[in-house]
Amino acid sequence: FSLKELHGIFPWLVESIFGSLDGIIVGWNLRCLQGRTNPTEYSVALDFLDPSGPMMKLVYKLQAEEYRYDFPVSYLPGPVKASIQEQVLPECSLYHNKVQFPSSGGLGLNLALNPFEYYMFYFAISLITQKNSPVTHHVSPSNSAYFILVDTYLKCFLPTEGSVLPPPSSNPGGAIPSPTPRSPAVPFTSYGMHHTSLLKRHIAHQPSVNADPASQEIWRSETLLQIFVEMWLHHYSLEMYQKMQSPHVKLEVLHYRLSISSKHHGSPAQTSYQALHAYQESFKPTEEHVLVVRLLVKHLHAFSNSLKPEPLSPSAHSHTASPLEEFKRVVIPRFVQEKLYIFLQHCFGHWPLDASFRAVLEMWLSYLQPWRYAPEKPPQTAEPMPRSVSEKWAAFIQENLLMYTKLFVGFLNRALRTDLVSPKNALMVFRVAKVFAQPNLAEMILKGEQLFLEPELVIPHRQHRLFMTPTLGGSFFSSWPPTITDASFKVKSHVYSLEGQDFQYKQMFGTEVRNLVLKLAQLICQAQQTAKSISDHSAETMASQSFFSWFRFTPSEMNGSYTGNDLDETGQDSIRKTDEYLEKALEYLCQIFKLNEAQLTQMMMKCGTAQDENGKKQLPDCIESEDGLILTPLGRYQIINGLRRFEVQYQGDNELQPIRSYENATLVRLLFRLSSVLNERFADQMDVLCSREDFIGRLCRYHLTNPHIVQKIRYSPVVKDRTSQNWGPRISLRFLASYRTLLSLLMIYFLASWFYIGPVGCTFIILFGYFLYAVIMTFFFEGWKPHEH
C-alpha cells in the first residue's frame, strides 16, 4: 500500500481494533481476550500491537509524513471537554495547538492528532468507552490482552533500565521527528500554568539538536504518560477542576469571558453554568479501570526510582542530565499527583461499601509506598521483621501529605460504615493499618503535619503571592525568589495547590481523628465478639444436627423466636481469618496512634462485649426515656450491620399465633376448635388436678401449664413496662398439625406394619411410651421449662 492509502485506512483500522468511541463497534475486545480461553487470538493480538509489531511500524511510517487525524472533543474526559467548549485551554500541554473549529457546516470541535497520539488516544479511552460483551466464562482483568499491552507499552516507553528504544524507520539512519508546533486554529485562554515540554526545554539548552539522539524520542514517553493520565484519571467535576487552578488564572479567565461577551460573535461562548450543565455526566470507574491505574502507579514508582544518583557537582548535573533522567525526576509530581489525588477522592466518596473497594485500596496503598519499588533489596534476615521506612522518603511523604492524611480519614469514615465481621472488610482494615504501622512512617507523617502547621512568617515574601503579576511569556512562578526551597514551603504548596487557600486541614494525629480511630477500635471489638458468637452458634448447630433431630420439634417452633443470622453461613475458616485480621489491625492502630492500655480498657468496657445470661450478645445501644428504650445512632448502626439485634419472639397466646409454613392450615383450625371445647368443658377439673401437691398434680402441671414463659423473652424497647401473662392449665393439640409430626407418626406406623403391629396396637404403644417419658420427666425435671403436648 502507498502512504496515501495507508493514511486513508488508518482511522478505520484503529477503530476496528479498539472499537468505536460510541461503543457501537466492539472491535477486538482486548479487555476480554485471554490466553487461557482464546490462545490463538490472544497471541496474534499481542504480536500485532506490540511496540515493535506491524501496527506500531505503520504508526511510525505515517508519523514521518506528519499526517493529522481528527479526534472529537466530545469524547474527552468531562472537565477537559467542558473547558474546551468554553474556549478555555486546559493546562495539559497535550491539547496545546491541537484544537480546531469545524469547517462551515461541520459539527463539534476536534483535536488534530498525529498518528502516535491518535493510536494511543483510542487505546487508552477504550478502557472507559468499550462495552463489555457477554461472556460465558470468568474474565480476570490482570490476565487480559489489554492489561498485558498496557504493561508492555509502559516498559517500552518508560523504561526502568536503559533508554527508550528508537522506532523503526524506513529511512536508513533516519529518525522519526518529534511533532512540530502548530499555530492555534482558534484563540484560547490558558487554563492554568503551562508546563513547558521537557523535550523543548532540553533542546533549548542543547548546543545542537542532534547532540543527544534521545531528545528526539522523549516526546513519545511524555505523550504516552499524558494520554494515560488524561484518559484514566482526569474525571471529576468541573468545579473541582477550576478550584485547582491558581487565582490569577481565574481572574484572567473572567476578564476573557467579559471581553468576548461584549462582542457579537456568531456563536457566543458558553457561560460557566452552561459549561457545567454540559458536563453533567456520571463517572463510575470500574474495578478493571482501577487495576489498570494501579499498574500505572506501580510502574511510575519503579520508573522514578530508577533515576541515577545525582552527581556531586551541580554544574555537571545541569549539562549531563539526559531528558529521560529529567523526566524521571518530575514524572510523579508534575504529571500524576494532582489528578490521582482527585481520582482517589472520587473513589473514596462514591465507591459502594462492599468488598470491591479492595481494588481502590490497593491502588492507594501502592502509591503510598514508593520504597516497595525501589531497586535496592531489603537485607535478608532469619526472622522477617517489618522494614523501616528510610529517611530518604521523607520528602516524598511531605510532598504527598494529603495522600496519607486526608485519604486516611476518608478510609476511616468508610470503615466505620462497613460490616467488619465480613472477612473481606476486615482484611481491608488490616491492610491499611499494617501499611501505616511501618516503622518510622507515622513519625514522618507527623513531621509533615508539623511543617504544614508552621506559622506563615517562616516563609519570606509569602504574603505577596496572590498579588504578583506573571511576566509575559513566562511562568507564574518565574518571579519567585529561587532561594525559597525549605520543606515547610513545599508541604504548604502541595496542600494549597490541591485544596485551595481556604482549606481547613484536619490533622491525622489530632483529637478529632483520634476519636474516629477509637470508635473504629470499638467497632473492631464488637465485630470480634459478633464473630465469636456466630462461631459458637454455628458449632452448637452442627453438634445438634443429627438424623433423629429431624423428628424432634423444639419450643422455638411454637414461641416464634428467630435465632438465625445472615452471617451464620460464614464458614469457620472465614470467621477465624476475621478474628486474626481484626486482632492485628487493632494492634497496628495502637502502634500508630500510641493508644495506651487504659484507653483500650475503657474502650472494651464501652463495647459491651460481656454476654448476657443466655450467652447471647447484648441488645443494641439504647437510652432510657419515658416511653422505654430508644435506639441511639450507634444502636441503629449495630442493627443495620448485624452486630447486635433484638430477640424477636411471639409474645401472645401461642394458640393464636399465625399459621406457620410447616403447619396444615385446616388441621390447625380444627385442632384449635377441639382444644377450645375440651378446655371449656374440663377447665375446673384441670385446675383441681394441677393444684394437687402429689405426683398426679406434678404430672398435670408439667403437661397442662406453661408458667413464666414470658420472663425469658426480651421485650421490645418500645414498651417499658409489660405484665407477664400466666395462662391457666389447658390442653393444646396444635402440635398435631405440624407436617413434621404427621410425617413422623406416618413413618412409625409404617415401621410397625413390618412387625405386624396394627394401627390400634401402634397407637397404644405410642401412648404408653409417651406416658413413661412423662413420668420420668416429672420425677427428675419438674423445674424444667414445660412443653405443651
Side-chain angles (χ1 to χ4, degrees):
F1 293 98
S2 64
L3 277 177
K4 187 175 182 180
E5 291 175 325
L6 293 176
H7 168 63
I9 67 172
F10 181 69
W12 168 84
L13 180 59
V14 171
E15 193 172 79
S16 301
I17 296 173
F18 301 120
S20 59
L21 297 175
D22 54 12
I24 297 178
I25 300 176
V26 178
W28 291 4
N29 201 10
L30 298 174
R31 292 162 52 191
C32 298
L33 186 60
Q34 298 204 348
R36 181 174 55 86
T37 55
N38 304 99
T40 304
E41 293 87 344
Y42 176 82
S43 59
V44 168
L46 292 184
D47 292 340
F48 185 76
L49 301 178
D50 189 79
S52 58
M55 189 64 187
M56 291 304 295
K57 290 180 180 178
L58 172 61
V59 169
Y60 295 137
K61 181 178 291 188
L62 296 173
Q63 183 80 23
E65 299 299 324
E66 298 188 5
Y67 285 116
R68 292 294 182 268
Y69 302 91
D70 290 339
F71 187 93
V73 172
S74 58
Y75 289 102
L76 293 176
V80 178
K81 177 180 64 176
S83 62
I84 291 179
Q85 289 175 346
E86 201 179 355
Q87 296 189 3
V88 180
L89 189 64
E91 64 176 351
C92 179
S93 60
L94 185 66
Y95 305 106
H96 295 175
N97 303 325
K98 292 185 176 67
V99 183
Q100 291 186 336
F101 269 143
S103 57
S104 58
L107 299 176
L109 294 168
N110 292 309
L111 295 179
L113 305 177
N114 63 52
F116 184 81
E117 293 170 337
Y118 186 79
Y119 173 83
M120 286 301 173
F121 259 82
Y122 263 86
F123 174 76
I125 208 169
S126 64
L127 179 66
I128 311 296
T129 60
Q130 195 180 64
K131 302 297 187 299
N132 287 323
S133 61
V135 291
T136 57
H137 58 275
H138 174 70
V139 176
S140 175
S142 59
N143 294 327
S144 66
Y146 187 88
F147 194 89
I148 300 301
L149 281 173
V150 172
D151 187 47
T152 304
Y153 289 155
L154 289 175
K155 291 177 179 178
C156 176
F157 298 110
L158 301 173
T160 57
E161 296 181 359
S163 59
V164 183
L165 294 177
S169 174
S170 57
N171 300 326
I176 303 300
S178 60
T180 56
R182 306 176 73 239
S183 59
V186 59
F188 271 78
T189 296
S190 168
Y191 203 75
M193 293 171 296
H194 288 195
H195 296 296
T196 307
S197 172
L198 292 171
L199 169 64
K200 296 177 182 178
R201 185 173 57 177
H202 184 82
I203 294 179
H205 291 84
Q206 290 278 339
S208 173
V209 175
N210 296 324
D212 186 1
S215 63
Q216 292 288 342
E217 304 307 330
I218 189 65
W219 68 267
R220 289 184 298 159
S221 303
E222 187 175 349
T223 300
L224 175 86
L225 179 60
Q226 286 182 325
I227 292 175
F228 282 0
V229 171
E230 287 294 311
M231 295 300 106
W232 297 341
L233 298 180
H234 204 164
H235 296 274
Y236 38 83
S237 66
L238 180 62
E239 180 183 2
M240 179 63 68
Y241 183 69
Q242 294 172 335
K243 176 183 176 182
M244 295 186 300
Q245 310 307 314
S246 57
H248 89 282
V249 174
K250 295 181 181 179
L251 185 62
E252 182 183 347
V253 172
L254 178 61
H255 284 307
Y256 174 78
R257 291 172 182 166
L258 292 176
S259 64
I260 62 175
S261 63
S262 61
K263 302 176 183 178
H264 297 281
H265 294 285
S267 57
Q270 292 179 300
T271 63
S272 297
Y273 175 80
Q274 290 173 330
L276 279 172
H277 180 73
Y279 172 66
Q280 298 302 323
E281 56 182 4
S282 60
F283 172 66
K284 299 177 182 178
T286 62
E287 187 174 353
E288 179 187 8
H289 181 177
V290 173
L291 290 175
V292 173
V293 173
R294 186 193 179 204
L295 175 65
L296 173 65
V297 168
K298 292 167 64 176
H299 185 84
L300 289 179
H301 274 318
F303 178 69
S304 179
N305 291 335
S306 65
L307 179 67
K308 298 177 181 178
E310 296 184 4
L312 298 178
S313 173
S315 60
H317 163 70
S318 61
H319 292 286
T320 59
S322 68
L324 186 62
E325 294 296 307
E326 189 176 354
F327 187 45
K328 292 178 180 180
R329 185 175 294 107
V330 300
V331 61
I332 291 180
R334 176 173 297 182
F335 294 95
V336 179
Q337 183 195 70
E338 185 179 66
K339 293 181 175 65
L340 180 63
Y341 172 72
I342 303 298
F343 180 80
L344 283 170
Q345 270 198 318
H346 178 86
C347 292
F348 273 59
H350 297 82
W351 202 277
L353 292 172
D354 55 20
S356 65
F357 185 72
R358 174 77 186 280
V360 179
L361 188 79
E362 294 298 336
M363 176 183 64
W364 173 48
L365 296 180
S366 294
Y367 184 81
L368 298 186
Q369 303 177 86
W371 47 87
R372 289 184 56 192
Y373 313 100
E376 64 268 13
K377 299 295 182 182
Q380 298 293 333
T381 58
E383 296 182 2
M385 298 293 292
R387 184 183 179 185
S388 178
V389 180
S390 174
E391 285 292 336
K392 76 173 188 177
W393 300 107
F396 177 86
I397 295 172
Q398 294 166 8
E399 294 171 10
N400 291 271
L401 185 64
L402 291 178
M403 288 283 195
Y404 290 88
T405 59
K406 187 175 181 181
L407 292 183
F408 179 81
V409 176
F411 174 75
L412 282 181
N413 291 325
R414 287 186 61 93
L416 291 173
R417 293 177 289 158
T418 55
D419 178 16
L420 299 183
V421 181
S422 169
K424 295 180 179 179
N425 292 335
L427 175 60
M428 288 191 284
V429 176
F430 163 75
R431 288 282 296 121
V432 173
K434 182 179 179 181
V435 168
F436 279 84
Q438 294 178 83
N440 203 32
L441 178 58
E443 289 77 6
M444 286 193 284
I445 296 176
L446 180 60
K447 175 64 176 177
E449 289 192 322
Q450 293 172 349
L451 290 172
F452 173 75
L453 297 174
E454 283 185 3
E456 292 288 327
L457 296 177
V458 176
I459 304 177
H461 309 293
R462 180 66 186 274
Q463 64 271 20
H464 302 295
R465 185 168 83 127
L466 298 179
F467 303 98
M468 292 191 300
T469 303
T471 57
L472 294 177
S475 172
F476 176 62
F477 287 106
S478 59
S479 58
W480 274 65
T483 57
I484 304 178
T485 58
D486 56 280
S488 178
F489 167 70
K490 290 182 180 179
V491 176
K492 293 175 185 290
S493 175
H494 155 70
V495 173
Y496 291 140
S497 65
L498 293 182
E499 292 292 346
Q501 293 284 341
D502 56 348
F503 175 60
Q504 298 296 325
Y505 182 75
K506 184 183 296 184
Q507 299 182 52
M508 177 176 169
F509 296 96
T511 304
E512 186 176 353
V513 177
R514 190 180 184 87
N515 290 335
L516 289 178
V517 174
L518 288 174
K519 188 179 296 184
L520 176 61
Q522 179 179 350
L523 292 180
I524 288 176
C525 294
Q526 293 177 354
Q528 286 180 302
Q529 185 61 37
T530 303
K532 184 178 182 300
S533 300
I534 295 174
S535 178
D536 294 342
H537 174 75
S538 300
E540 293 173 1
T541 304
M542 294 297 295
S544 62
Q545 286 179 350
S546 63
F547 176 78
F548 294 101
S549 66
W550 190 87
F551 299 96
R552 181 184 63 197
F553 48 88
T554 60
S556 62
E557 293 178 0
M558 300 306 296
N559 61 27
S561 64
Y562 172 72
T563 59
N565 190 293
D566 293 339
L567 299 174
D568 290 343
E569 299 178 359
T570 306
Q572 291 293 323
D573 291 341
S574 297
I575 295 176
R576 177 180 52 81
K577 290 181 180 179
T578 299
D579 188 65
E580 292 178 358
Y581 291 147
L582 294 179
E583 184 178 357
K584 294 297 293 183
L586 188 58
E587 178 183 339
Y588 288 139
L589 289 175
C590 293
Q591 294 177 12
I592 298 168
F593 293 93
K594 304 296 189 292
L595 303 180
N596 54 40
E597 294 294 333
Q599 289 175 315
L600 289 179
T601 303
Q602 182 181 7
M603 177 190 63
M604 293 291 291
M605 293 175 62
K606 291 182 179 179
C607 283
T609 55
Q611 294 182 344
D612 59 17
E613 66 274 8
N614 292 326
K616 305 295 181 182
K617 54 182 178 289
Q618 288 185 331
L619 295 179
D621 190 65
C622 304
I623 57 175
E624 290 281 352
S625 68
E626 297 180 356
D627 298 328
L629 298 176
I630 297 180
L631 282 173
T632 63
L634 176 60
R636 287 192 290 269
Y637 167 83
Q638 292 167 340
I639 291 179
I640 292 173
N641 291 278
L643 300 178
R644 294 185 183 181
R645 58 182 171 83
F646 293 103
E647 298 293 340
V648 181
Q649 294 180 335
Y650 181 77
Q651 301 177 13
D653 187 356
N654 287 336
E655 292 295 305
L656 300 178
Q657 63 178 306
I659 298 174
R660 307 301 179 86
S661 60
Y662 54 80
E663 293 178 323
N664 185 281
T666 303
L667 285 179
V668 169
R669 297 185 178 96
L670 292 177
L671 292 173
F672 173 74
R673 293 175 184 176
L674 178 59
S675 300
S676 300
V677 171
L678 294 176
N679 289 329
E680 290 177 3
R681 184 167 183 177
F682 299 105
D684 296 336
Q685 291 86 335
M686 288 189 292
D687 284 334
V688 172
L689 289 174
C690 291
S691 61
R692 295 173 59 172
E693 297 297 332
D694 54 4
F695 175 78
I696 300 297
R698 294 199 303 272
L699 183 65
C700 292
R701 283 195 298 273
Y702 180 79
H703 292 280
L704 300 178
T705 61
N706 194 10
H708 313 301
I709 189 174
V710 190
Q711 292 184 3
K712 293 188 178 181
I713 297 177
R714 306 298 298 271
Y715 294 120
S716 169
V718 177
V719 182
K720 185 176 181 180
D721 297 322
R722 186 161 183 160
T723 305
S724 300
Q725 295 181 352
N726 191 4
W727 303 99
R730 58 178 179 170
I731 298 173
S732 176
L733 301 176
R734 181 166 176 169
F735 73 98
L736 294 174
S738 171
Y739 289 119
R740 181 182 296 180
T741 303
L742 294 175
L743 186 56
S744 301
L745 291 175
L746 181 61
M747 293 184 67
I748 291 175
Y749 281 114
F750 178 73
L751 292 175
S753 65
W754 284 10
F755 299 95
Y756 304 100
I757 300 176
V760 177
C762 184
T763 303
F764 175 79
I765 293 175
I766 293 174
L767 294 176
F768 181 75
Y770 182 77
F771 177 76
L772 291 178
Y773 168 79
V775 170
I776 295 174
M777 296 299 292
T778 302
F779 270 117
F780 297 101
F781 302 97
E782 183 184 3
W784 202 45
K785 183 178 177 180
H787 296 255
E788 292 183 339
H789 293 324

